[in-house]
Every structure is written in structure tokens, then in C-alpha cells.
């Protein structure tokens, strides 16, 4: 599966980090750490074993910035 994060929607509040600490993190500036690797949209493969936390992160994101592609 793949995760897609719309970094223009994301406001770095970090709920996804609490829901899926294995997939998301905040950097020293308090911003979503994967920003350093993407311009506007971040896309990456996610292992099946991380499916549950990925779905939790997508559900909890208040900006609906996280999309899961099965
Ligand atoms: S929960 Fe959504 S808005 Fe908040 S940091 Fe994560 S992706 Fe960004």
C-alpha cells in the first residue's frame, strides 16, 4: 500500500505522529519531518504490517491530508 500526504493541507499539529509513531515524526522545528523530502505531495510505500497505524493516522488527521492507497 502507499501513503500520500498533501503537505499543502497539513498544518503540522502532529496527530498522525501520535497515531502512527512508526511512520510519522516531527522534526526539531516542530514540523512534519517528511517535509524535507517532498515539495507539495509526499508519496511512499508502506509495509502491510503498518496498515493499521497508517489508517489510524489517516482517520485522525484533522486536515484530511493523509490518503491511503490500497
Ligand atoms: S495529522 Fe495531518 S495535519 Fe497533522 S501533522 Fe499529520 S498530516 Fe499534518
Amino acid at each position: 500500500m502507499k501513503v500520500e500526504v498533501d503537505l499543502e493541507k497539513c498544518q503540522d499539529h502532529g496527530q498522525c505522529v501520535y497515531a502512527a509513531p512508526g511512520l510519522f515524526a516531527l522534526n526539531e522545528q516542530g514540523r512534519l519531518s517528511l517535509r524535507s523530502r517532498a515539495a507539495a505531495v509526499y508519496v511512499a510505500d508502506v509495509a502491510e504490517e503498518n496498515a493499521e497505524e497508517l489508517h489510524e493516522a489517516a482517520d485522525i488527521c484533522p486536515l484530511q491530508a493523509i490518503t491511503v492507497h490500497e
Side-chain angles (χ1 to χ4, degrees):
M1 66 177 45
K2 284 187 184 292
V3 60
E4 179 181 322
V5 184
D6 185 331
L7 296 168
E8 292 188 340
K9 284 187 185 173
C10 170
Q11 293 186 4
D12 302 292
H13 295 308
Q15 286 91 332
C16 58
V17 177
Y18 294 105
L23 299 173
F24 298 95
L26 295 178
N27 65 19
E28 287 155 11
Q29 289 77 43
R31 306 197 77 198
L32 203 58
S33 60
L34 51 78
R35 282 189 184 281
S36 60
R37 290 189 267 147
V41 177
Y42 170 85
V43 179
D45 289 319
V46 174
E48 206 59 44
E49 66 198 47
N50 294 322
E52 192 174 328
E53 61 177 321
L54 174 57
H55 282 288
E56 275 180 34
D59 288 346
I60 209 168
C61 176
L63 283 304
Q64 297 178 333
I66 302 172
T67 305
V68 181
H69 299 282
E70 303 286 351

